[in-house]
Coordinates of all heavy atoms in Angstrom, one line a residue:
L556 N -8.7 35.2 -112.1 CA -9.2 34.0 -112.7 C -10.7 34.0 -112.6 O -11.2 34.2 -111.5 CB -8.6 32.8 -112.1 CG -7.1 32.5 -112.4 CD1 -6.2 33.5 -111.9 CD2 -6.8 31.1 -111.8
I557 N -11.3 33.9 -113.8 CA -12.8 33.9 -113.8 C -13.3 32.6 -114.3 O -12.8 32.0 -115.3 CB -13.3 35.0 -114.8 CG1 -12.7 36.4 -114.4 CG2 -14.8 35.1 -114.9 CD1 -12.7 37.4 -115.6
R558 N -14.2 32.0 -113.5 CA -14.8 30.7 -113.9 C -16.3 30.9 -114.2 O -17.1 31.4 -113.4 CB -14.7 29.6 -112.9 CG -15.2 28.3 -113.3 CD -15.1 27.2 -112.2 NE -15.3 25.9 -112.7 CZ -16.5 25.3 -112.8 NH1 -17.6 26.0 -112.5 NH2 -16.6 24.1 -113.2
L559 N -16.7 30.6 -115.5 CA -18.1 30.6 -115.9 C -18.7 29.2 -115.9 O -18.0 28.2 -116.0 CB -18.2 31.2 -117.3 CG -17.6 32.6 -117.4 CD1 -17.7 33.1 -118.9 CD2 -18.1 33.6 -116.4
N560 N -20.0 29.1 -115.7 CA -20.7 27.9 -115.6 C -21.6 27.6 -116.7 O -21.9 28.4 -117.6 CB -21.5 27.9 -114.3 CG -20.6 28.0 -113.1 OD1 -19.6 27.3 -112.9 ND2 -20.9 29.0 -112.2
Y561 N -22.1 26.3 -116.7 CA -23.0 25.9 -117.8 C -24.1 26.9 -118.1 O -24.7 27.4 -117.2 CB -23.7 24.6 -117.4 CG -24.7 24.1 -118.4 CD1 -24.3 23.5 -119.5 CD2 -26.1 24.3 -118.1 CE1 -25.3 23.0 -120.4 CE2 -27.0 23.9 -119.1 CZ -26.6 23.3 -120.2 OH -27.6 22.9 -121.1
G562 N -24.2 27.2 -119.4 CA -25.3 28.2 -119.8 C -24.9 29.6 -119.8 O -25.6 30.4 -120.4
D563 N -23.8 30.0 -119.1 CA -23.4 31.4 -119.1 C -23.0 31.9 -120.5 O -22.4 31.1 -121.3 CB -22.2 31.6 -118.2 CG -22.6 31.5 -116.7 OD1 -23.8 31.6 -116.4 OD2 -21.6 31.4 -115.9
D564 N -23.4 33.1 -120.9 CA -22.9 33.7 -122.1 C -21.6 34.3 -121.8 O -21.5 35.2 -120.9 CB -23.9 34.8 -122.5 CG -23.5 35.4 -123.9 OD1 -22.5 36.2 -123.9 OD2 -24.2 35.2 -124.9
I565 N -20.6 33.9 -122.5 CA -19.2 34.4 -122.2 C -19.0 35.9 -122.3 O -18.6 36.5 -121.4 CB -18.2 33.6 -123.1 CG1 -18.2 32.1 -122.8 CG2 -16.8 34.2 -122.9 CD1 -17.4 31.3 -123.8
L566 N -19.5 36.5 -123.4 CA -19.3 37.9 -123.6 C -20.1 38.7 -122.6 O -19.6 39.6 -121.9 CB -19.7 38.4 -125.0 CG -19.5 39.8 -125.3 CD1 -18.1 40.3 -125.0 CD2 -19.9 40.1 -126.7
A567 N -21.4 38.4 -122.4 CA -22.2 39.1 -121.4 C -21.6 39.0 -120.0 O -21.6 39.9 -119.2 CB -23.6 38.5 -121.4
S568 N -21.1 37.8 -119.6 CA -20.5 37.6 -118.3 C -19.3 38.4 -118.1 O -19.1 39.1 -117.1 CB -20.2 36.1 -118.1 OG -21.3 35.3 -118.1
L569 N -18.4 38.5 -119.2 CA -17.2 39.3 -119.1 C -17.6 40.8 -119.0 O -16.9 41.5 -118.2 CB -16.3 39.0 -120.3 CG -15.6 37.7 -120.3 CD1 -14.9 37.4 -121.6 CD2 -14.7 37.6 -119.1
Q570 N -18.5 41.2 -119.8 CA -19.0 42.6 -119.7 C -19.5 43.0 -118.4 O -19.1 44.1 -117.8 CB -20.0 42.9 -120.8 CG -19.5 42.9 -122.2 CD -20.5 42.9 -123.3 OE1 -21.7 42.4 -123.1 NE2 -20.2 43.5 -124.4
Q571 N -20.2 42.1 -117.8 CA -20.8 42.4 -116.4 C -19.6 42.4 -115.4 O -19.6 43.3 -114.5 CB -21.8 41.3 -116.0 CG -22.5 41.6 -114.7 CD -23.3 42.9 -114.8 OE1 -24.2 43.0 -115.6 NE2 -23.1 43.8 -113.9
F572 N -18.7 41.5 -115.5 CA -17.6 41.4 -114.6 C -16.7 42.7 -114.6 O -16.4 43.3 -113.6 CB -16.7 40.2 -114.9 CG -15.6 40.0 -114.0 CD1 -15.7 39.5 -112.7 CD2 -14.3 40.5 -114.4 CE1 -14.6 39.4 -111.9 CE2 -13.2 40.4 -113.5 CZ -13.4 39.8 -112.3
V573 N -16.4 43.1 -115.9 CA -15.6 44.3 -116.1 C -16.3 45.5 -115.5 O -15.7 46.4 -114.8 CB -15.3 44.5 -117.6 CG1 -14.8 45.9 -117.9 CG2 -14.3 43.4 -118.0
A574 N -17.6 45.6 -115.7 CA -18.4 46.8 -115.2 C -18.4 46.7 -113.7 O -18.2 47.8 -113.0 CB -19.8 46.8 -115.8
D575 N -18.7 45.6 -113.1 CA -18.8 45.4 -111.6 C -17.5 45.8 -111.0 O -17.5 46.4 -109.9 CB -19.3 44.0 -111.2 CG -20.7 43.7 -111.6 OD1 -21.5 44.7 -112.0 OD2 -21.1 42.5 -111.5
R576 N -16.4 45.3 -111.5 CA -15.1 45.5 -110.9 C -14.5 46.9 -111.4 O -13.4 47.2 -111.0 CB -14.2 44.4 -111.3 CG -14.5 43.0 -110.7 CD -14.1 42.8 -109.3 NE -12.7 42.8 -109.1 CZ -12.0 41.8 -109.0 NH1 -12.5 40.6 -109.1 NH2 -10.7 41.9 -108.8
Q577 N -15.1 47.6 -112.3 CA -14.6 48.9 -112.8 C -13.2 48.7 -113.4 O -12.3 49.5 -113.1 CB -14.7 49.9 -111.7 CG -16.1 50.2 -111.2 CD -16.2 51.3 -110.2 OE1 -15.2 51.7 -109.6 NE2 -17.4 51.7 -109.9
I578 N -13.1 47.7 -114.2 CA -11.8 47.5 -114.9 C -11.7 48.3 -116.1 O -12.6 48.3 -117.0 CB -11.6 46.0 -115.2 CG1 -11.6 45.2 -113.9 CG2 -10.4 45.7 -116.0 CD1 -11.6 43.7 -114.1
H579 N -10.7 49.1 -116.2 CA -10.5 50.0 -117.3 C -9.6 49.4 -118.4 O -10.0 49.5 -119.6 CB -9.9 51.3 -116.8 CG -9.9 52.4 -117.8 ND1 -11.1 53.0 -118.3 CD2 -8.9 53.1 -118.5 CE1 -10.8 53.9 -119.2 NE2 -9.5 54.0 -119.3
N580 N -8.5 48.8 -118.1 CA -7.6 48.3 -119.1 C -7.1 46.9 -118.6 O -6.7 46.8 -117.4 CB -6.4 49.1 -119.3 CG -6.7 50.5 -119.9 OD1 -7.6 50.6 -120.8 ND2 -6.1 51.5 -119.4
A581 N -7.2 45.9 -119.5 CA -6.7 44.6 -119.1 C -6.4 43.8 -120.4 O -6.7 44.2 -121.5 CB -7.8 43.8 -118.3
V582 N -5.7 42.7 -120.2 CA -5.4 41.8 -121.3 C -5.9 40.4 -121.0 O -5.9 39.9 -119.8 CB -3.9 41.7 -121.7 CG1 -3.5 43.0 -122.2 CG2 -3.1 41.3 -120.5
F583 N -6.5 39.7 -121.9 CA -6.9 38.3 -121.8 C -5.6 37.5 -122.0 O -5.0 37.5 -123.0 CB -8.0 37.9 -122.8 CG -9.3 38.5 -122.5 CD1 -9.8 39.4 -123.3 CD2 -10.0 38.1 -121.4 CE1 -11.0 40.0 -123.1 CE2 -11.2 38.7 -121.1 CZ -11.7 39.7 -121.9
L584 N -5.2 36.7 -120.9 CA -4.0 36.0 -121.0 C -4.3 34.6 -121.7 O -3.4 34.1 -122.4 CB -3.4 35.8 -119.6 CG -3.1 37.1 -118.9 CD1 -2.7 36.8 -117.4 CD2 -2.1 37.9 -119.6
N585 N -5.4 34.0 -121.4 CA -5.8 32.8 -122.1 C -7.2 32.3 -121.5 O -7.7 33.0 -120.6 CB -4.8 31.7 -121.9 CG -4.8 30.8 -123.1 OD1 -5.7 30.7 -123.9 ND2 -3.7 30.1 -123.3
A586 N -7.7 31.2 -122.0 CA -8.9 30.6 -121.5 C -9.0 29.2 -121.9 O -8.3 28.8 -122.9 CB -10.1 31.4 -122.0
F587 N -9.8 28.4 -121.2 CA -10.1 27.0 -121.7 C -11.4 26.7 -121.1 O -12.0 27.3 -120.3 CB -9.0 26.1 -121.2 CG -8.9 25.9 -119.7 CD1 -9.6 24.9 -119.0 CD2 -8.1 26.8 -118.9 CE1 -9.5 24.8 -117.6 CE2 -8.0 26.7 -117.6 CZ -8.7 25.7 -116.9

């Protein structure tokens, strides 16, 4: 579960998270 805050860019944050955690394959289950 990832929580982003006011002003965060969603795509840039996800790209950084995936790189930092070295995630190769995943599925987005949902978001709100």
